[in-house]
Amino acid sequence: MENLIKQFNIKGNIVSIDKYGNGHINKTFLVKTTEETYIFQFINNNVFNNVNMLMHNIDLVTTHLLNKGSKTLEIVKTKDGKLYTKYGNDYFRGYKYIDNSVCYEKLPSLEMVTEAAKGFGKFHSDLSDIDISQIGDVIPDFHNTVKRYEVFKSIVQKDPCKRKALCEDDVLFLMSRKSDYSLLVDALEKGKINKSITHNDPKINNVVFDKKTNKVSCVLDLDTVMTGTFLYDFGDALRSLFTGDNEDSMDTSKLVCNLDIYRAYLDGYFAKMKDVINAKEIELLPYSILVITEELALRFLGDYINGDKYFGVDYPTHNLVRAKTQIALAKDIIKHLDDLKQITNEIVQKYK
Ligand code: ADP
Ligand code: GN1
Ligand code: MG
């Protein structure tokens, strides 16, 4: 690894190389030199088969953010000016370490939920004027829920592992929600909401906070940056906050639409996005959480019926359990849609 790192434009001599962070996708290392600290990563090219496009996207996005004076990841290029290097089948890249940063797996307070939301809101708002025609789709149709449903239906019809009988009610529930799946896709196609940059993995451990102030520092993990609507990220961030560490839980009573978390997140998000967001996008905020939750349920249940080809599993019904947690959450969101709309109105009024 030392030889690989030496191909990059680093300052000083390498002092230490240690495994770092809790990411599930890339292999991350903290590298200290006599002068600076860096993050080096092996990019997971099973998940990402077009690393060149991925790094090109990250370069465009981070350059745009830096030109605005915003804090962001900074790519460390190789000595011959490349964005990454290849070693056998592995792809390797470097970033400057975000100084004094701390990353959480679970947020300790509602204030920090608001802070995280400011981070994503600023990210979206700063990128609202980037030329999106330059950004490639690293995973095409990632949040095209209508296409996800088509794939789901065809898996259910084929039922290759004879598992459908074990989840008939869940299949029926997801089929009964068909009209939800076109809510975001149609609005985007009809131009009622704007095409924008999306992060596509807005989990809490992809934001860093300043260690001393606990204020949000910036958004990390830009591998899945693509185009779409920022509502994908808004919906997914709340889905993931509501899910917490219960994604694999058999006790679905823990999967609830937490209105305090919604209020805290929306407050931080709106503070940064109020001048960018349009009326249709505001209307769709609560629905975006439902759509992305149902979409993930379609993906988990589809993968279960298909024989666990995408998501890693520890036991045969793992993906079924995950689907049931998202379905339980979706049901609770449906129950609280009116509350979510009311809170949305309150926050919109607050920032008028
Ligand atoms: P993965 O795709 O595997 O989740 P990430 O890019 O999110 O990989 O990195 C994993 C973890 O490493 C992050 O959650 C964060 O804690 C830390 N990290 C990554 N890049 C930086 C950076 N530039 N500065 C500080 N910490 C970082
Ligand atoms: C996957 O591996 P992770 O947690 O970063 C998935 C997301 C899902 C998430 C559910 C590229 O992300 O879309 O929301 O699992 N990422 C990809 O836990 O498929
Ligand atoms: Mg990550």
Side-chain angles (χ1 to χ4, degrees):
M1 243 180 89
E2 219 174 307
N3 284 333
L4 273 178
I5 295 167
K6 281 182 185 159
Q7 292 182 26
F8 288 79
N9 234 331
I10 55 166
K11 286 190 194 147
N13 300 317
I14 299 170
V15 174
S16 62
I17 304 174
D18 293 295
K19 279 199 110 182
Y20 194 72
N22 286 317
H24 295 316
I25 303 290
N26 300 310
K27 277 189 220 138
T28 303
F29 297 87
L30 185 74
V31 175
K32 289 190 177 159
T33 73
T34 42
E35 289 185 40
E36 287 262 11
T37 306
Y38 299 94
I39 287 284
F40 276 89
Q41 290 178 316
F42 286 101
I43 306 168
N44 184 330
N45 63 319
N46 284 327
V47 173
F48 303 110
N49 50 34
N50 193 342
V51 172
N52 199 47
M53 181 195 271
L54 175 152
M55 288 307 297
H56 175 73
N57 284 349
I58 296 179
D59 190 33
L60 283 173
V61 163
T62 52
T63 305
H64 191 86
L65 294 173
L66 286 171
N67 287 342
K68 287 210 161 166
S70 296
K71 201 167 179 128
T72 181
L73 282 174
E74 284 184 62
I75 297 174
V76 178
K77 291 188 181 163
T78 64
K79 284 180 177 150
D80 50 1
K82 300 214 176 75
L83 298 172
Y84 61 94
T85 190
K86 203 167 178 250
Y87 178 73
N89 289 326
D90 290 322
Y91 293 81
F92 196 63
R93 69 164 170 227
Y95 289 120
K96 285 189 186 167
Y97 181 75
I98 315 257
D99 278 331
N100 299 315
S101 61
V102 55
C103 194
Y104 294 90
E105 294 300 316
K106 206 172 171 182
L107 286 181
S109 68
L110 286 174
E111 285 75 27
M112 291 193 71
V113 170
T114 304
E115 274 304 310
K118 283 182 190 165
F120 283 110
K122 184 160 169 47
F123 179 80
H124 286 146
S125 143
D126 280 346
L127 291 169
S128 61
D129 58 350
I130 194 173
D131 177 6
I132 53 170
S133 68
Q134 304 287 312
I135 304 287
D137 281 340
V138 180
I139 307 177
D141 292 321
F142 192 61
H143 280 309
N144 186 327
T145 319
V146 173
K147 287 203 177 155
R148 293 274 191 195
Y149 182 55
E150 291 305 315
V151 171
F152 175 77
K153 274 195 307 190
S154 112
I155 293 171
V156 170
Q157 208 202 352
K158 289 191 192 116
D159 193 18
C161 308
K162 300 280 165 275
R163 285 178 165 181
K164 191 176 90 179
L166 305 169
C167 52
E168 211 82 64
D169 286 355
D170 303 309
V171 170
L172 284 177
F173 172 76
L174 290 176
M175 289 191 161
S176 77
R177 302 304 303 179
K178 185 182 170 211
S179 59
D180 295 342
Y181 307 150
S182 53
L183 282 173
L184 302 183
V185 176
D186 273 6
L188 201 54
E189 268 171 16
K190 291 183 182 138
K192 291 185 176 161
I193 60 179
N194 289 313
K195 201 164 181 195
S196 57
I197 293 288
T198 48
H199 181 280
N200 290 314
D201 195 7
K203 288 188 303 196
I204 284 322
N205 69 3
N206 286 330
V207 203
V208 276
F209 296 84
D210 186 286
K211 238 181 214 162
K212 288 191 198 109
T213 61
N214 260 347
K215 295 279 177 206
V216 69
S217 196
C218 73
V219 170
L220 305 172
D221 203 345
L222 304 177
D223 294 338
T224 44
V225 157
M226 285 180 261
T227 58
T229 154
F230 57 77
L231 290 169
Y232 294 155
D233 285 347
F234 183 83
D236 201 20
L238 281 146
R239 179 206 67 74
S240 131
L241 283 166
F242 291 165
T243 303
D245 51 10
N246 296 309
E247 190 163 281
D248 298 343
S249 173
M250 309 235 184
D251 177 7
T252 53
S253 67
K254 291 179 181 155
L255 276 297
V256 291
C257 172
N258 182 322
L259 298 177
D260 293 332
I261 290 182
Y262 183 71
R263 189 189 303 276
Y265 193 92
L266 185 59
D267 199 338
Y269 192 74
F270 219 79
K272 300 292 173 187
M273 285 291 280
K274 59 181 188 309
D275 299 329
V276 176
I277 195 163
N278 73 26
K280 185 68 185 173
E281 287 159 346
I282 293 174
E283 182 193 320
L284 286 171
L285 286 167
Y287 292 98
S288 71
I289 317 170
L290 178 61
V291 174
I292 298 296
T293 304
E294 289 171 341
E295 180 187 279
L296 191 57
L298 286 170
R299 294 174 64 196
F300 282 144
L301 196 62
D303 201 35
Y304 170 68
I305 299 171
N306 204 27
D308 310 312
K309 300 252 172 15
Y310 187 90
F311 295 104
V313 288
D314 297 333
Y315 54 95
T317 53
H318 201 160
N319 273 321
L320 177 60
V321 166
R322 289 169 174 153
K324 283 183 185 293
T325 62
Q326 296 305 308
I327 288 173
L329 179 57
K331 287 181 177 166
D332 205 51
I333 296 170
I334 293 166
K335 255 195 231 159
H336 288 98
L337 272 174
D338 284 340
D339 300 318
L340 295 172
K341 287 180 198 169
Q342 197 195 319
I343 295 169
T344 309
N345 288 337
E346 283 168 31
I347 300 284
V348 171
Q349 291 309 318
K350 175 177 164 183
Y351 284 97
K352 254 198 173 151

